[in-house]
Short mmCIF file of all heavy atoms in Angstrom, two decimals:
data_model
loop_
_atom_site.label_atom_id
_atom_site.label_comp_id
_atom_site.label_asym_id
_atom_site.label_seq_id
_atom_site.Cartn_x
_atom_site.Cartn_y
_atom_site.Cartn_z
N MET A 6 0.85 -1.14 -0.10
CA MET A 6 0.01 -0.02 -0.10
C MET A 6 0.82 1.23 0.06
O MET A 6 1.81 1.31 0.67
CB MET A 6 -0.90 -0.06 1.23
CG MET A 6 -1.95 1.12 1.33
SD MET A 6 -3.10 1.08 0.02
CE MET A 6 -4.54 0.49 0.97
N ARG A 7 0.52 2.15 -0.85
CA ARG A 7 1.34 3.40 -0.98
C ARG A 7 1.11 4.34 0.18
O ARG A 7 0.08 4.38 0.80
CB ARG A 7 0.74 4.19 -2.19
CG ARG A 7 1.81 4.63 -3.19
CD ARG A 7 1.29 5.37 -4.34
NE ARG A 7 1.47 4.67 -5.54
CZ ARG A 7 2.61 4.62 -6.20
NH1 ARG A 7 3.67 5.40 -5.69
NH2 ARG A 7 2.72 3.97 -7.31
N GLU A 8 2.22 5.13 0.61
CA GLU A 8 2.11 6.01 1.73
C GLU A 8 1.10 7.04 1.35
O GLU A 8 0.94 7.51 0.14
CB GLU A 8 3.43 6.63 1.87
CG GLU A 8 4.40 5.78 2.67
CD GLU A 8 4.00 5.61 4.14
OE1 GLU A 8 3.45 6.54 4.65
OE2 GLU A 8 4.26 4.46 4.64
N THR A 9 0.33 7.63 2.33
CA THR A 9 -0.62 8.76 2.14
C THR A 9 -0.30 9.88 2.98
O THR A 9 -1.14 10.75 3.22
CB THR A 9 -2.11 8.25 2.25
OG1 THR A 9 -2.23 7.70 3.59
CG2 THR A 9 -2.47 7.19 1.27
N ASN A 10 0.97 9.94 3.59
CA ASN A 10 1.32 11.11 4.37
C ASN A 10 1.24 12.44 3.59
O ASN A 10 1.07 13.42 4.23
CB ASN A 10 2.71 10.87 4.88
CG ASN A 10 2.79 9.77 5.95
OD1 ASN A 10 1.88 9.20 6.39
ND2 ASN A 10 4.06 9.30 6.08
N TRP A 11 1.32 12.28 2.33
CA TRP A 11 1.27 13.47 1.49
C TRP A 11 0.08 14.30 1.64
O TRP A 11 -0.04 15.59 1.43
CB TRP A 11 1.50 13.28 0.00
CG TRP A 11 0.62 12.12 -0.46
CD1 TRP A 11 0.98 10.84 -0.52
CD2 TRP A 11 -0.65 12.24 -1.03
NE1 TRP A 11 -0.09 10.13 -0.99
CE2 TRP A 11 -1.15 10.94 -1.32
CE3 TRP A 11 -1.53 13.43 -1.15
CZ2 TRP A 11 -2.41 10.75 -1.82
CZ3 TRP A 11 -2.80 13.13 -1.71
CH2 TRP A 11 -3.22 11.79 -1.94
N ARG A 12 -1.07 13.66 2.07
CA ARG A 12 -2.29 14.27 2.37
C ARG A 12 -2.35 15.41 3.23
O ARG A 12 -3.10 16.51 3.16
CB ARG A 12 -3.32 13.22 2.73
CG ARG A 12 -3.80 12.41 1.70
CD ARG A 12 -4.76 11.33 2.09
NE ARG A 12 -5.21 10.46 1.03
CZ ARG A 12 -6.37 9.94 0.85
NH1 ARG A 12 -7.32 10.15 1.68
NH2 ARG A 12 -6.50 9.03 -0.21
N ALA A 13 -1.32 15.42 4.23
CA ALA A 13 -1.23 16.53 5.13
C ALA A 13 -0.93 17.78 4.45
O ALA A 13 -1.11 18.90 4.98
CB ALA A 13 -0.24 16.18 6.28
N SER A 14 -0.16 17.76 3.28
CA SER A 14 0.18 18.86 2.57
C SER A 14 -0.65 19.22 1.33
O SER A 14 -0.33 19.95 0.50
CB SER A 14 1.55 18.79 1.96
OG SER A 14 2.49 18.49 3.00
N ALA A 15 -1.92 18.49 1.32
CA ALA A 15 -2.79 18.74 0.05
C ALA A 15 -3.12 20.04 -0.16
O ALA A 15 -3.67 20.73 0.83
CB ALA A 15 -3.97 17.68 0.27
N GLY A 16 -3.04 20.50 -1.35
CA GLY A 16 -3.51 21.86 -1.71
C GLY A 16 -5.01 22.01 -1.60
O GLY A 16 -5.48 23.16 -1.65
N CYS A 17 -5.71 21.08 -1.59
CA CYS A 17 -7.21 21.03 -1.60
C CYS A 17 -7.65 21.06 -0.17
O CYS A 17 -8.97 21.11 0.08
CB CYS A 17 -7.84 19.86 -2.43
SG CYS A 17 -7.22 18.31 -1.86
N ARG A 18 -6.87 20.86 0.90
CA ARG A 18 -7.38 21.01 2.21
C ARG A 18 -8.14 22.33 2.48
O ARG A 18 -7.55 23.37 2.02
CB ARG A 18 -6.32 20.94 3.26
CG ARG A 18 -5.69 19.48 3.31
CD ARG A 18 -4.57 19.61 4.24
NE ARG A 18 -4.82 20.00 5.61
CZ ARG A 18 -4.76 19.22 6.69
NH1 ARG A 18 -4.15 18.01 6.60
NH2 ARG A 18 -5.04 19.71 7.83
N GLY A 19 -9.25 22.29 2.98
CA GLY A 19 -10.09 23.55 3.03
C GLY A 19 -11.02 23.83 1.96
O GLY A 19 -11.87 24.77 1.95
N SER A 20 -10.81 23.16 0.81
CA SER A 20 -11.56 23.30 -0.37
C SER A 20 -12.96 22.47 -0.22
O SER A 20 -12.91 21.53 0.51
CB SER A 20 -10.93 22.81 -1.65
OG SER A 20 -9.76 23.61 -1.97
N ASP A 21 -13.95 22.90 -0.83
CA ASP A 21 -15.14 22.18 -0.83
C ASP A 21 -14.86 20.79 -1.61
O ASP A 21 -14.59 20.81 -2.88
CB ASP A 21 -16.18 22.87 -1.59
CG ASP A 21 -17.66 22.13 -1.67
OD1 ASP A 21 -17.65 20.95 -1.33
OD2 ASP A 21 -18.64 22.83 -2.08
N PRO A 22 -15.01 19.67 -0.91
CA PRO A 22 -14.71 18.40 -1.57
C PRO A 22 -15.52 18.20 -2.78
O PRO A 22 -15.16 17.48 -3.76
CB PRO A 22 -15.07 17.29 -0.48
CG PRO A 22 -14.95 18.11 0.71
CD PRO A 22 -15.39 19.47 0.45
N GLU A 23 -16.74 18.66 -2.96
CA GLU A 23 -17.61 18.50 -4.10
C GLU A 23 -16.99 18.94 -5.33
O GLU A 23 -17.34 18.43 -6.40
CB GLU A 23 -19.02 19.01 -3.81
CG GLU A 23 -19.79 18.23 -2.75
CD GLU A 23 -21.16 18.64 -2.67
OE1 GLU A 23 -21.73 19.42 -3.53
OE2 GLU A 23 -21.81 18.32 -1.56
N LEU A 24 -16.08 19.98 -5.17
CA LEU A 24 -15.52 20.61 -6.31
C LEU A 24 -14.75 19.42 -7.14
O LEU A 24 -14.76 19.54 -8.43
CB LEU A 24 -14.51 21.67 -6.03
CG LEU A 24 -13.72 22.25 -7.14
CD1 LEU A 24 -14.48 22.98 -8.10
CD2 LEU A 24 -12.68 23.25 -6.59
N PHE A 25 -14.27 18.50 -6.47
CA PHE A 25 -13.41 17.39 -7.02
C PHE A 25 -14.18 16.27 -7.59
O PHE A 25 -13.61 15.34 -8.10
CB PHE A 25 -12.27 17.04 -6.07
CG PHE A 25 -11.49 18.14 -5.77
CD1 PHE A 25 -11.71 19.08 -4.76
CD2 PHE A 25 -10.18 18.27 -6.43
CE1 PHE A 25 -10.93 20.18 -4.55
CE2 PHE A 25 -9.35 19.43 -6.16
CZ PHE A 25 -9.72 20.32 -5.16
N PHE A 26 -15.49 16.32 -7.49
CA PHE A 26 -16.39 15.18 -7.99
C PHE A 26 -17.45 15.71 -8.81
O PHE A 26 -18.53 15.90 -8.40
CB PHE A 26 -16.86 14.40 -6.74
CG PHE A 26 -15.79 13.74 -5.94
CD1 PHE A 26 -15.25 14.37 -4.87
CD2 PHE A 26 -15.35 12.47 -6.27
CE1 PHE A 26 -14.21 13.81 -4.13
CE2 PHE A 26 -14.18 11.80 -5.53
CZ PHE A 26 -13.70 12.57 -4.53
N PRO A 27 -17.07 16.09 -10.03
CA PRO A 27 -18.13 16.68 -10.94
C PRO A 27 -19.14 15.67 -11.27
O PRO A 27 -18.90 14.52 -11.31
CB PRO A 27 -17.31 17.05 -12.11
CG PRO A 27 -15.82 17.05 -11.67
CD PRO A 27 -15.76 16.02 -10.63
N ILE A 28 -20.40 16.29 -11.31
CA ILE A 28 -21.55 15.31 -11.65
C ILE A 28 -21.97 15.46 -13.08
O ILE A 28 -21.54 16.50 -13.69
CB ILE A 28 -22.73 15.59 -10.73
CG1 ILE A 28 -23.13 16.93 -10.69
CG2 ILE A 28 -22.45 15.07 -9.31
CD1 ILE A 28 -24.46 17.21 -9.99
N GLY A 29 -22.60 14.69 -13.58
CA GLY A 29 -23.27 14.85 -14.93
C GLY A 29 -22.27 14.20 -16.05
O GLY A 29 -21.25 13.48 -15.72
N SER A 30 -22.54 14.47 -17.19
CA SER A 30 -21.76 13.83 -18.39
C SER A 30 -20.39 14.45 -18.35
O SER A 30 -20.12 15.59 -18.11
CB SER A 30 -22.45 14.33 -19.74
OG SER A 30 -21.60 14.10 -20.69
N GLY A 31 -19.41 13.54 -18.68
CA GLY A 31 -18.01 14.06 -18.77
C GLY A 31 -17.77 14.95 -19.75
O GLY A 31 -16.65 15.59 -19.70
N THR A 32 -18.56 15.26 -20.71
CA THR A 32 -18.37 16.27 -21.78
C THR A 32 -19.31 17.43 -21.63
O THR A 32 -19.08 18.38 -22.50
CB THR A 32 -18.45 15.61 -23.10
OG1 THR A 32 -19.70 15.00 -23.30
CG2 THR A 32 -17.37 14.60 -23.29
N SER A 33 -20.14 17.50 -20.75
CA SER A 33 -20.95 18.66 -20.57
C SER A 33 -20.15 19.85 -20.12
O SER A 33 -19.14 19.82 -19.43
CB SER A 33 -22.05 18.46 -19.56
OG SER A 33 -21.63 18.52 -18.22
N PHE A 34 -20.77 21.14 -20.46
CA PHE A 34 -19.89 22.26 -20.22
C PHE A 34 -19.67 22.32 -18.58
O PHE A 34 -18.67 22.73 -18.19
CB PHE A 34 -20.64 23.52 -20.71
CG PHE A 34 -19.99 24.86 -20.30
CD1 PHE A 34 -18.85 25.28 -21.07
CD2 PHE A 34 -20.40 25.57 -19.25
CE1 PHE A 34 -18.29 26.42 -20.69
CE2 PHE A 34 -19.81 26.71 -18.91
CZ PHE A 34 -18.68 27.19 -19.57
N ALA A 35 -20.80 22.13 -17.84
CA ALA A 35 -20.63 22.35 -16.42
C ALA A 35 -19.80 21.41 -15.80
O ALA A 35 -18.95 21.73 -14.96
CB ALA A 35 -22.06 22.09 -15.79
N THR A 36 -19.70 20.15 -16.33
CA THR A 36 -18.76 19.10 -15.80
C THR A 36 -17.36 19.59 -16.17
O THR A 36 -16.41 19.41 -15.23
CB THR A 36 -19.02 17.78 -16.44
OG1 THR A 36 -20.40 17.28 -16.05
CG2 THR A 36 -18.07 16.62 -15.92
N LEU A 37 -17.06 19.94 -17.36
CA LEU A 37 -15.81 20.36 -17.84
C LEU A 37 -15.31 21.51 -17.04
O LEU A 37 -14.16 21.69 -16.54
CB LEU A 37 -15.69 20.52 -19.28
CG LEU A 37 -15.91 19.36 -20.19
CD1 LEU A 37 -15.97 19.73 -21.61
CD2 LEU A 37 -14.87 18.37 -19.93
N ALA A 38 -16.24 22.51 -16.87
CA ALA A 38 -15.95 23.73 -16.02
C ALA A 38 -15.45 23.39 -14.59
O ALA A 38 -14.48 23.88 -14.07
CB ALA A 38 -16.98 24.68 -16.10
N GLN A 39 -16.32 22.48 -14.05
CA GLN A 39 -15.97 22.02 -12.64
C GLN A 39 -14.61 21.30 -12.55
O GLN A 39 -13.91 21.49 -11.67
CB GLN A 39 -17.04 21.24 -12.08
CG GLN A 39 -16.88 20.86 -10.58
CD GLN A 39 -18.13 20.23 -10.00
OE1 GLN A 39 -19.09 20.10 -10.57
NE2 GLN A 39 -17.85 19.60 -8.84
N SER A 40 -14.34 20.39 -13.52
CA SER A 40 -13.11 19.78 -13.51
C SER A 40 -11.97 20.64 -13.76
O SER A 40 -10.97 20.44 -13.16
CB SER A 40 -13.06 18.64 -14.75
OG SER A 40 -14.00 17.72 -14.51
N ASP A 41 -12.15 21.71 -14.58
CA ASP A 41 -11.10 22.79 -14.69
C ASP A 41 -10.76 23.45 -13.53
O ASP A 41 -9.66 23.66 -13.09
CB ASP A 41 -11.35 23.63 -15.95
CG ASP A 41 -11.23 22.91 -17.24
OD1 ASP A 41 -10.72 21.87 -17.38
OD2 ASP A 41 -11.67 23.59 -18.21
N ALA A 42 -11.83 23.75 -12.79
CA ALA A 42 -11.75 24.52 -11.52
C ALA A 42 -10.92 23.64 -10.57
O ALA A 42 -10.01 24.12 -9.73
CB ALA A 42 -13.07 24.95 -10.94
N ALA A 43 -11.25 22.29 -10.36
CA ALA A 43 -10.63 21.33 -9.50
C ALA A 43 -9.06 21.28 -9.92
O ALA A 43 -8.27 21.29 -9.12
CB ALA A 43 -11.29 20.15 -9.58
N LYS A 44 -8.97 21.17 -11.20
CA LYS A 44 -7.55 20.96 -11.73
C LYS A 44 -6.65 22.32 -11.39
O LYS A 44 -5.43 22.17 -11.17
CB LYS A 44 -7.50 20.78 -13.23
CG LYS A 44 -7.99 19.34 -13.57
CD LYS A 44 -8.04 19.28 -15.13
CE LYS A 44 -8.50 17.92 -15.60
NZ LYS A 44 -8.52 17.80 -17.12
N ALA A 45 -7.27 23.38 -11.43
CA ALA A 45 -6.59 24.62 -11.02
C ALA A 45 -5.99 24.58 -9.63
O ALA A 45 -4.85 25.02 -9.40
CB ALA A 45 -7.48 25.92 -11.23
N VAL A 46 -6.84 24.04 -8.76
CA VAL A 46 -6.32 23.82 -7.35
C VAL A 46 -5.21 22.87 -7.41
O VAL A 46 -4.25 23.12 -6.75
CB VAL A 46 -7.58 23.28 -6.48
CG1 VAL A 46 -7.00 23.04 -5.08
CG2 VAL A 46 -8.65 24.33 -6.43
N CYS A 47 -5.38 21.71 -8.08
CA CYS A 47 -4.22 20.82 -8.19
C CYS A 47 -2.95 21.34 -8.72
O CYS A 47 -1.83 20.96 -8.31
CB CYS A 47 -4.67 19.57 -9.03
SG CYS A 47 -6.01 18.56 -8.35
N GLY A 48 -3.17 22.37 -9.67
CA GLY A 48 -1.98 22.87 -10.33
C GLY A 48 -1.22 23.71 -9.29
O GLY A 48 0.05 23.99 -9.66
N ARG A 49 -1.72 24.13 -8.28
CA ARG A 49 -1.00 24.82 -7.21
C ARG A 49 -0.60 23.85 -6.00
O ARG A 49 -0.07 24.50 -5.01
CB ARG A 49 -1.83 25.94 -6.67
CG ARG A 49 -2.16 27.03 -7.77
CD ARG A 49 -2.96 28.20 -7.11
NE ARG A 49 -4.24 27.89 -6.48
CZ ARG A 49 -5.45 27.82 -7.10
NH1 ARG A 49 -5.40 28.13 -8.41
NH2 ARG A 49 -6.40 27.49 -6.47
N CYS A 50 -0.80 22.67 -6.20
CA CYS A 50 -0.72 21.74 -5.10
C CYS A 50 0.73 21.19 -5.01
O CYS A 50 1.30 20.73 -5.99
CB CYS A 50 -1.59 20.56 -5.21
SG CYS A 50 -1.36 19.31 -3.88
N PRO A 51 1.42 21.26 -3.86
CA PRO A 51 2.82 20.83 -3.65
C PRO A 51 2.96 19.26 -3.77
O PRO A 51 4.11 18.71 -3.84
CB PRO A 51 3.28 21.29 -2.36
CG PRO A 51 2.03 21.54 -1.53
CD PRO A 51 0.89 21.81 -2.54
N VAL A 52 1.78 18.53 -3.53
CA VAL A 52 1.96 17.07 -3.64
C VAL A 52 1.15 16.42 -4.67
O VAL A 52 0.70 15.33 -4.58
CB VAL A 52 1.42 16.54 -2.19
CG1 VAL A 52 2.49 16.91 -1.12
CG2 VAL A 52 0.04 16.91 -1.90
N ALA A 53 0.96 17.13 -5.75
CA ALA A 53 0.17 16.62 -6.91
C ALA A 53 0.77 15.37 -7.56
O ALA A 53 0.09 14.45 -7.88
CB ALA A 53 0.18 17.78 -8.04
N ARG A 54 2.12 15.24 -7.62
CA ARG A 54 2.65 14.07 -8.11
C ARG A 54 2.36 12.78 -7.21
O ARG A 54 1.83 11.72 -7.66
CB ARG A 54 4.22 14.18 -8.20
CG ARG A 54 4.76 12.92 -8.86
CD ARG A 54 6.39 13.07 -9.02
NE ARG A 54 7.02 13.34 -7.79
CZ ARG A 54 7.27 12.42 -6.91
NH1 ARG A 54 7.09 11.13 -7.24
NH2 ARG A 54 7.94 12.70 -5.68
N GLU A 55 2.47 12.96 -5.94
CA GLU A 55 2.15 11.91 -5.02
C GLU A 55 0.67 11.46 -5.11
O GLU A 55 0.21 10.35 -5.11
CB GLU A 55 2.56 12.23 -3.58
CG GLU A 55 4.02 12.29 -3.36
CD GLU A 55 4.52 13.70 -3.72
OE1 GLU A 55 3.95 14.52 -4.31
OE2 GLU A 55 5.65 14.00 -3.32
N CYS A 56 -0.18 12.45 -5.23
CA CYS A 56 -1.62 12.31 -5.25
C CYS A 56 -1.98 11.56 -6.64
O CYS A 56 -2.81 10.67 -6.55
CB CYS A 56 -2.28 13.64 -5.22
SG CYS A 56 -4.10 13.60 -5.40
N LEU A 57 -1.39 11.98 -7.69
CA LEU A 57 -1.59 11.28 -8.90
C LEU A 57 -1.25 9.81 -8.88
O LEU A 57 -1.89 8.90 -9.26
CB LEU A 57 -0.93 12.03 -10.04
CG LEU A 57 -1.01 11.32 -11.49
CD1 LEU A 57 -2.49 11.13 -11.87
CD2 LEU A 57 -0.29 12.10 -12.53
N GLU A 58 -0.08 9.65 -8.29
CA GLU A 58 0.42 8.15 -8.20
C GLU A 58 -0.58 7.37 -7.44
O GLU A 58 -0.87 6.17 -7.78
CB GLU A 58 1.77 8.12 -7.59
CG GLU A 58 2.83 8.66 -8.56
CD GLU A 58 4.25 8.85 -7.81
OE1 GLU A 58 4.43 8.54 -6.79
OE2 GLU A 58 5.19 9.04 -8.61
N TRP A 59 -1.01 7.90 -6.30
CA TRP A 59 -2.07 7.18 -5.40
C TRP A 59 -3.26 6.98 -6.23
O TRP A 59 -3.81 5.78 -6.29
CB TRP A 59 -2.28 8.06 -4.19
CG TRP A 59 -3.49 7.46 -3.40
CD1 TRP A 59 -3.45 6.48 -2.45
CD2 TRP A 59 -4.78 7.96 -3.47
NE1 TRP A 59 -4.57 6.21 -1.97
CE2 TRP A 59 -5.46 7.10 -2.67
CE3 TRP A 59 -5.53 8.84 -4.19
CZ2 TRP A 59 -6.90 7.21 -2.35
CZ3 TRP A 59 -6.91 9.06 -4.00
CH2 TRP A 59 -7.51 8.21 -2.98
N ALA A 60 -3.85 7.97 -6.94
CA ALA A 60 -5.01 7.85 -7.66
C ALA A 60 -4.82 6.84 -8.84
O ALA A 60 -5.79 6.13 -9.18
CB ALA A 60 -5.45 9.23 -8.25
N LEU A 61 -3.71 6.79 -9.38
CA LEU A 61 -3.53 5.80 -10.43
C LEU A 61 -3.53 4.27 -9.94
O LEU A 61 -4.09 3.36 -10.51
CB LEU A 61 -2.20 5.92 -11.19
CG LEU A 61 -2.03 7.15 -12.07
CD1 LEU A 61 -0.56 7.45 -12.45
CD2 LEU A 61 -2.93 6.85 -13.31
N ASP A 62 -3.23 4.11 -8.63
CA ASP A 62 -3.23 2.79 -7.99
C ASP A 62 -4.61 2.43 -7.54
O ASP A 62 -4.94 1.33 -7.70
CB ASP A 62 -2.42 2.84 -6.74
CG ASP A 62 -0.88 2.58 -6.98
OD1 ASP A 62 -0.55 2.36 -8.11
OD2 ASP A 62 -0.07 2.62 -6.08
N VAL A 63 -5.36 3.42 -7.19
CA VAL A 63 -6.68 2.98 -6.48
C VAL A 63 -7.93 3.22 -7.34
O VAL A 63 -8.97 2.70 -7.04
CB VAL A 63 -6.88 3.79 -5.12
CG1 VAL A 63 -5.74 3.46 -4.15
CG2 VAL A 63 -7.04 5.26 -5.43
N ALA A 64 -7.77 3.76 -8.54
CA ALA A 64 -8.77 3.91 -9.53
C ALA A 64 -10.04 4.58 -8.92
O ALA A 64 -11.07 4.10 -9.05
CB ALA A 64 -9.00 2.57 -10.12
N VAL A 65 -9.77 5.57 -8.29
CA VAL A 65 -10.96 6.38 -7.54
C VAL A 65 -11.50 7.34 -8.57
O VAL A 65 -10.87 7.79 -9.37
CB VAL A 65 -10.44 7.05 -6.26
CG1 VAL A 65 -9.44 8.15 -6.57
CG2 VAL A 65 -11.64 7.44 -5.39
N GLU A 66 -12.76 7.59 -8.35
CA GLU A 66 -13.46 8.65 -9.21
C GLU A 66 -13.13 9.95 -8.65
O GLU A 66 -12.54 10.25 -7.68
CB GLU A 66 -15.07 8.42 -9.20
CG GLU A 66 -15.52 7.28 -9.74
CD GLU A 66 -15.30 7.14 -11.26
OE1 GLU A 66 -15.38 8.28 -11.85
OE2 GLU A 66 -15.10 6.02 -11.77
N GLY A 67 -13.29 11.05 -9.70
CA GLY A 67 -13.07 12.36 -9.30
C GLY A 67 -11.70 12.88 -9.89
O GLY A 67 -11.03 12.13 -10.48
N VAL A 68 -11.34 14.15 -9.51
CA VAL A 68 -10.28 14.81 -9.87
C VAL A 68 -9.17 14.62 -8.81
O VAL A 68 -9.39 15.07 -7.69
CB VAL A 68 -10.42 16.32 -10.22
CG1 VAL A 68 -9.18 16.99 -10.41
CG2 VAL A 68 -11.42 16.46 -11.34
N TRP A 69 -8.01 13.97 -9.12
CA TRP A 69 -6.93 13.86 -8.27
C TRP A 69 -5.72 13.96 -9.07
O TRP A 69 -5.60 13.50 -10.11
CB TRP A 69 -6.96 12.32 -7.74
CG TRP A 69 -8.17 11.89 -6.87
CD1 TRP A 69 -9.41 11.42 -7.39
CD2 TRP A 69 -8.35 12.09 -5.58
NE1 TRP A 69 -10.22 11.15 -6.30
CE2 TRP A 69 -9.60 11.56 -5.22
CE3 TRP A 69 -7.56 12.53 -4.48
CZ2 TRP A 69 -10.11 11.62 -3.84
CZ3 TRP A 69 -8.04 12.44 -3.17
CH2 TRP A 69 -9.28 11.99 -2.86
N GLY A 70 -4.78 14.64 -8.37
CA GLY A 70 -3.47 14.90 -9.03
C GLY A 70 -3.62 15.60 -10.38
O GLY A 70 -2.77 15.45 -11.25
N GLY A 71 -4.55 16.46 -10.47
CA GLY A 71 -4.78 17.17 -11.65
C GLY A 71 -5.34 16.39 -12.85
O GLY A 71 -5.22 16.91 -14.00
N THR A 72 -5.90 15.28 -12.54
CA THR A 72 -6.51 14.50 -13.65
C THR A 72 -7.94 13.97 -13.32
O THR A 72 -8.18 13.75 -12.19
CB THR A 72 -5.65 13.25 -14.00
OG1 THR A 72 -5.57 12.38 -12.83
CG2 THR A 72 -4.21 13.72 -14.37
N THR A 73 -8.72 13.73 -14.32
CA THR A 73 -10.00 13.04 -14.12
C THR A 73 -9.74 11.49 -14.23
O THR A 73 -8.67 11.11 -14.69
CB THR A 73 -10.95 13.46 -15.20
OG1 THR A 73 -10.41 13.06 -16.43
CG2 THR A 73 -11.12 14.93 -15.23
N GLU A 74 -10.78 10.73 -13.84
CA GLU A 74 -10.66 9.29 -13.94
C GLU A 74 -10.32 8.96 -15.40
O GLU A 74 -9.61 7.95 -15.61
CB GLU A 74 -11.78 8.55 -13.24
CG GLU A 74 -11.77 7.14 -13.46
CD GLU A 74 -10.46 6.33 -12.92
OE1 GLU A 74 -9.63 7.05 -12.26
OE2 GLU A 74 -10.26 5.14 -13.38
N THR A 75 -11.14 9.57 -16.23
CA THR A 75 -10.92 9.22 -17.70
C THR A 75 -9.51 9.44 -18.17
O THR A 75 -8.89 8.64 -18.86
CB THR A 75 -11.90 10.19 -18.54
OG1 THR A 75 -13.29 9.87 -18.14
CG2 THR A 75 -11.72 9.82 -20.13
N GLU A 76 -9.01 10.50 -17.78
CA GLU A 76 -7.53 10.79 -18.08
C GLU A 76 -6.53 9.76 -17.45
O GLU A 76 -5.65 9.33 -18.03
CB GLU A 76 -7.15 12.27 -17.62
CG GLU A 76 -7.89 13.20 -18.47
CD GLU A 76 -7.83 14.76 -17.90
OE1 GLU A 76 -7.57 14.78 -16.65
OE2 GLU A 76 -7.91 15.56 -18.66
N ARG A 77 -6.81 9.36 -16.17
CA ARG A 77 -6.05 8.31 -15.55
C ARG A 77 -6.10 6.97 -16.22
O ARG A 77 -5.13 6.40 -16.29
CB ARG A 77 -6.40 8.30 -14.06
CG ARG A 77 -5.97 9.55 -13.21
CD ARG A 77 -6.04 9.43 -11.85
NE ARG A 77 -7.34 9.14 -11.29
CZ ARG A 77 -8.26 10.02 -11.03
NH1 ARG A 77 -7.98 11.25 -11.19
NH2 ARG A 77 -9.44 9.66 -10.59
N ARG A 78 -7.38 6.69 -16.68
CA ARG A 78 -7.51 5.41 -17.51
C ARG A 78 -6.54 5.46 -18.64
O ARG A 78 -5.89 4.49 -18.94
CB ARG A 78 -8.92 5.18 -17.82
CG ARG A 78 -9.84 4.42 -16.73
CD ARG A 78 -11.08 3.94 -17.35
NE ARG A 78 -11.98 4.98 -17.84
CZ ARG A 78 -12.90 5.57 -17.10
NH1 ARG A 78 -13.02 5.20 -15.86
NH2 ARG A 78 -13.63 6.43 -17.72
N ALA A 79 -6.63 6.58 -19.35
CA ALA A 79 -5.65 6.69 -20.56
C ALA A 79 -4.21 6.57 -20.16
O ALA A 79 -3.37 5.86 -20.82
CB ALA A 79 -5.94 8.02 -21.09
N ILE A 80 -3.83 7.06 -18.94
CA ILE A 80 -2.39 6.97 -18.44
C ILE A 80 -2.08 5.53 -18.15
O ILE A 80 -1.07 4.95 -18.47
CB ILE A 80 -2.17 7.88 -17.17
CG1 ILE A 80 -2.24 9.33 -17.63
CG2 ILE A 80 -0.88 7.49 -16.59
CD1 ILE A 80 -2.34 10.24 -16.37
N ARG A 81 -3.14 4.82 -17.50
CA ARG A 81 -2.79 3.40 -17.20
C ARG A 81 -2.74 2.65 -18.57
O ARG A 81 -1.89 1.74 -18.53
CB ARG A 81 -4.13 2.93 -16.40
CG ARG A 81 -4.10 3.31 -15.07
CD ARG A 81 -5.16 2.62 -14.23
NE ARG A 81 -5.52 3.38 -13.00
CZ ARG A 81 -6.70 4.24 -13.04
NH1 ARG A 81 -7.42 4.31 -14.07
NH2 ARG A 81 -6.86 4.81 -11.88
N ARG A 82 -3.56 2.90 -19.52
CA ARG A 82 -3.43 2.14 -20.70
C ARG A 82 -2.11 2.29 -21.28
O ARG A 82 -1.56 1.35 -22.03
CB ARG A 82 -4.55 2.59 -21.76
CG ARG A 82 -5.86 1.94 -21.57
CD ARG A 82 -6.85 2.19 -22.65
NE ARG A 82 -7.06 3.51 -23.06
CZ ARG A 82 -8.12 4.30 -22.49
NH1 ARG A 82 -8.89 3.78 -21.59
NH2 ARG A 82 -8.14 5.48 -22.81
N ARG A 83 -1.55 3.56 -21.36
CA ARG A 83 -0.28 3.83 -21.89
C ARG A 83 0.87 3.24 -21.02
O ARG A 83 2.05 3.16 -21.47
CB ARG A 83 0.05 5.29 -22.01
CG ARG A 83 -0.79 5.95 -23.07
CD ARG A 83 -0.29 7.39 -23.44
NE ARG A 83 -0.08 8.25 -22.25
CZ ARG A 83 -0.91 9.06 -21.74
NH1 ARG A 83 -2.18 9.29 -22.29
NH2 ARG A 83 -0.65 9.91 -20.70
N GLY A 84 0.48 2.71 -19.78
CA GLY A 84 1.47 2.11 -19.02
C GLY A 84 2.47 3.11 -18.39
O GLY A 84 3.54 2.66 -17.98
N ALA A 85 2.08 4.35 -18.30
CA ALA A 85 3.04 5.36 -17.76
C ALA A 85 3.06 5.31 -16.21
O ALA A 85 2.12 4.88 -15.61
CB ALA A 85 2.55 6.77 -18.23
S1 LIG B 3 -3.30 17.12 -6.49
FE1 LIG B 3 -5.39 18.01 -6.22
S2 LIG B 3 -6.72 16.43 -5.32
FE2 LIG B 3 -4.42 15.85 -4.96
S3 LIG B 3 -4.03 16.63 -3.02
FE3 LIG B 3 -3.38 18.17 -4.40
S4 LIG B 3 -5.06 19.56 -4.55
FE4 LIG B 3 -5.85 17.74 -3.63
#
């Protein structure tokens, strides 16, 4: 199991968790806008790399490490 100590430094601490779990169709304007807003938070996060590695392992829904689950599936397929 991967370490999760990085969570103490998460840039999203104090953010509304719902921001990171967009609802609706993955291609709707509202969903994409919400994903972009969440990714902007991730873009300022000091532990984004650790968060992404964790999310790639656990296959969780939502925006983690600056990526959506759809994007992480693509990363997994590429074997990155
Ligand atoms: S990368 Fe994004 S989701 Fe992950 S800890 Fe940082 S702000 Fe939170």
